[in-house]
Structure formats: C-alpha cells, structure tokens
Amino acid sequence: MDNLYKTLKTYGKVKINEPLAKHTTFKIGGPAKYIVIVERIQALKELLTFLNEQGIPLAILGGGSNMLASDSGFDGVIIQIADKSCTIKDTTVVAAAGMQTVALAQATIKAGLTEFEWGVGVPGTIGGAVRGNAGATGWEMKDNVEKVEVYRDGETIILTNSECQFGYRHSIFKHNNDIILRVWLALKKGENKDSLKQALQYIKYRNETQPKGYASTGCIFKNVETQQLKNPIKNLQEIPQEFLENNRIPAGWLVEQVHMKGKKIGNAEVSERHGNFILNLGGATADDVLSLIAQIKQQVEEKYGIVLEEEIQIL
Ligand SMILES: Cc1cc2nc3c(=O)[nH]c(=O)nc-3n(C[C@H](O)[C@H](O)[C@H](O)COP(=O)(O)OP(=O)(O)OC[C@H]3O[C@@H](n4cnc5c(N)ncnc54)[C@H](O)[C@@H]3O)c2cc1C
C-alpha cells in the first residue's frame, strides 16, 4: 500500500479505486483513486488541512443524488462525511452534514415539528441540500436554515441564512470551497399527525409525477427564471401565460417542446414521464448523459433562445 493510503487511513475508512457508480444515485462514474469516509468532524478538518497542504485534489460526496461523475473517475481524494448526528431542542434542529435529508425530515415530524415535511422526498444529505438550496412543493432549504457551520481556509465559521446567499437552487457554496459541516434549522411546533399526513401527500405526489424503476439524478436542468434571461425569448407566443406570469418556465416542458422526451443515447434515455429526468437504463455512461444534455440544450436554444443551465453537479 502507498504512503498516501496509510496517511488517509488515519482519518477514516479508505477505499481505493472505488467506482463512483457505487456512490451515485445515477449509478454512473468511473473509479475514484481514494474515497475517505470520515466519521468525526475533527478528523475531517485535519484531513482537509492535510490535503490542502499537500495540494492533493479533493471533492466532497454527499448522497451522490445530484451528481454526474465522469467515466474516467476522479484522480484525487473523495471525502464522504459520515457524521449523521442530529439533535432537536425545542424548535431548533442541529444536523451534521452527513445526515440524510429524508431521515432528518422524519425526525422533525416525530419530534412534533412542522415546516420541514417536504424533506421526506429529497434524496441525499442535508449538506448537499444546503449547498444546492434543494427544494420541493414550494419550500426550499432557505426557508428552514437558521445558520450553517462551514470549514473555510483552515477555520470553522458560522454563516447566517442571509450570508448563505440562497437563491433558486443556488447558494454561496456553489462559488466557493466551503465545506458544510453542520446545519441549524429553525422550525415551528406542529401537530405530529398533520405533519405525517402532509409528508405522505408529498410522497404520493412524487410517486405520481416522477419516473420510477431506473437510476437517475433528479432534475437535470434548473427551471428557467424568465427575469434572469439575457436575450429575448424566441417563439414567445408558444410559452403558456401561466409560466410567464410566474417568471418560471419548467425545464421539463421545454424538453418536451423540442421532442426530446424518450430520446435515447447509448443506455441513457430522457424520461417519457418527466422531461427533466434522464434515466440510466442500465450501463449508461456519463458520456451518454452528457450527449443528451448537449442535444437538449442545443435544441432548446435554437427554438426558444434559452440557454438551459444544469442543476446537477458534474464531477
Ligand atoms: C429521484 C430524485 C429526486 C430528487 N428530487 C429533488 C427535489 O425534489 N428537490 C431538489 O432540490 N433536489 C432533488 N433531487 C436532487 C438531490 O437529491 C438534491 O440536490 C440533494 O440535496 C443533493 O444532496 P446530496 O447529498 O446527494 O449531494 P451530492 O450529489 O452528493 O453532491 C452535490 C454537490 O454538493 C456538494 N456537497 C455535498 N455535500 C457537501 C458538503 N457537506 N459541503 C460542501 N459541498 C457538499 C458536492 O461536492 C456536489 O458538488 C432529487 C434527486 C433524485 C435522484
């Protein structure tokens, strides 16, 4: 075993040449040279300091549910935060970044809290959810987050909600190298049975609208915020008034309009059920998915003058 492996082992469990396909919901991705699964925040900080000092490339992996990992894998160290601890005191919830969003939502419901029921449908970790300002059914992380503890340049600092600069599927963390360690949610007292009912409705809605049976990574593109567009929309008369009034065009609708639903490249296919999902039919490669993404973007731009932006993170 090499020296780096021995050193990495002092911080957590290490896997060598581990296929990222095993760690992403898309089941796509070549080998990561090393994956280090770190249990304790202190060990995580020390590992980050070590890797930064040595100039070794690193990336953070949460639940791998918003990620397309390259077929060639990652020539560096992937860190998975395994701290899943959570405490609930009154209406304040403190969760470690590695906690599953679904499990956290369930815990808040069990504790008689409300306003995070929507989390029951979001795969991945709460760290990943904060970074992407994940959202569903009209809620987003920014509605629940009170503050976030991050590791930045060798220090641990706390950011308030406004300092996180949340926007639609956006946060400051998409533009810096902060690593989210812990998250504080400010919720409200609720009725356990009402929250449970609400959560079940959310799950039912997802089951009715999202494709099932194949690996995916959720929505590929962000919906289009019309007020942010730099160029005028082409064929504007085709866009339903409702979308324009809401300042948001669903990306899935655009995919459908350019007849890309059901389009297949290699073993990847644009879902017939939901145009913003690409499915891995079994053995799809990142290149298959990237080719579909490129075709969709080209056709949507040609027809509507809109440049779709990826919601997924490409590693
Ligand atoms: C079936 C399905 C349904 C989905 N539905 C929704 C939905 O309704 N709403 C929604 O918003 N999303 C949805 N998603 C996408 C995804 O679940 C969310 O974006 C989720 O919050 C990502 O979390 P993750 O831990 O899996 O992140 P990952 O995919 O592991 O990582 C995503 C990015 O975040 C970074 N990251 C992860 N953890 C940290 C950390 N602690 N510190 C710093 N950076 C970090 C990673 O480096 C990467 O760049 C869905 C996905 C699937 C597969």
Side-chain angles (χ1 to χ4, degrees), residues 23 25-26 59-67 81 97-98 101 118 121-137 169 173 177-181 206 210-211 216-219 277 311 313 315:
H23 298 268
T25 57
F26 226 160
I60 304 290
L61 175 71
S65 65
N66 194 29
M67 203 179 259
I81 304 172
T101 304
W118 65 272
V122 180
T125 62
I126 195 70
V130 168
R131 181 182 182 274
N133 189 24
T137 64
R169 298 295 178 271
F173 312 117
N177 295 321
D178 286 357
I179 293 173
I180 297 159
L181 304 176
R206 297 178 83 83
Q210 291 187 355
S216 80
T217 194
C219 288
F277 272 62
E311 180 174 324
Q313 308 304 305
L315 181 69

Side-chain angles (χ1 to χ4, degrees), residues 216-258:
S216 80
T217 194
C219 288
I220 296 288
F221 301 105
K222 291 183 179 182
N223 294 324
V224 177
E225 294 187 283
T226 50
Q227 282 169 3
Q228 309 290 330
L229 291 174
K230 294 198 178 78
N231 299 317
I233 298 175
K234 290 198 252 175
N235 293 309
L236 186 64
Q237 72 287 354
E238 289 184 17
I239 314 272
Q241 198 55 31
E242 178 200 346
F243 297 163
L244 297 173
E245 277 164 13
N246 292 336
N247 175 35
R248 193 164 287 187
I249 307 174
W253 182 84
L254 290 166
V255 174
E256 189 168 0
Q257 301 316 300
V258 296

Side-chain angles (χ1 to χ4, degrees), residues 22-25 37-39 60-66 79-88 93-109 116-130 134 141 180-183 185 187:
K22 281 192 184 173
H23 298 268
T24 56
T25 57
I37 301 159
V38 190
E39 296 277 349
I60 304 290
L61 175 71
S65 65
N66 194 29
I79 301 173
Q80 202 162 28
I81 304 172
D83 187 344
K84 302 176 189 333
S85 58
C86 157
T87 56
I88 300 182
V93 179
V94 188
M99 176 136 196
Q100 299 295 312
T101 304
V102 171
L104 185 59
Q106 287 167 344
T108 64
I109 294 169
F116 194 53
E117 293 88 346
W118 65 272
V120 290
V122 180
T125 62
I126 195 70
V130 168
M141 284 311 306
I180 297 159
L181 304 176
R182 280 194 298 170
V183 180
L185 305 183
L187 304 182

